[in-house]
Amino acid sequence: MALAASLIKDITRRARWAETARPVPSPCRNVCRMDAASGYCEGCLRTIEEIAGWSGMADDDKRGVWAQLPQRAAWLAE
């Protein structure tokens, strides 16, 4: 899965904002396709488990997912 530089920048910016946002926003970008090779959504870089469980997660857990997204983006860009 090749990531555009603009997607990486946007995910990183939004992850910083999510650190303090109330309520914690969803990372969904309305590009809902799972990449078979990585196991991540092509739009938001979450796993299917993270997507399915999002609405039931505590805010700290949601922030934990957000914190991982820039790292996933960097890894996928390599």
Side-chain angles (χ1 to χ4, degrees):
M1 175 165 88
L3 292 183
S6 61
L7 174 61
I8 297 167
K9 185 177 180 178
D10 186 57
I11 286 174
T12 301
R13 178 186 57 78
R14 292 176 66 213
R16 284 189 201 121
W17 177 67
E19 290 174 0
T20 58
R22 299 217 189 279
V24 179
S26 170
C28 183
R29 298 170 48 91
N30 295 318
V31 180
C32 303
R33 287 186 304 268
M34 298 306 291
D35 178 72
S38 68
Y40 298 128
C41 173
E42 291 180 18
C44 67
L45 304 182
R46 290 181 292 170
T47 65
I48 195 71
E49 292 82 9
E50 291 165 343
I51 294 167
W54 188 262
S55 64
M57 285 183 186
D59 283 351
D60 286 343
D61 295 328
K62 290 177 181 180
R63 287 191 178 88
V65 171
W66 265 113
Q68 295 177 46
L69 300 183
Q71 297 159 344
R72 291 178 188 175
W75 175 73
L76 291 168
E78 293 177 355

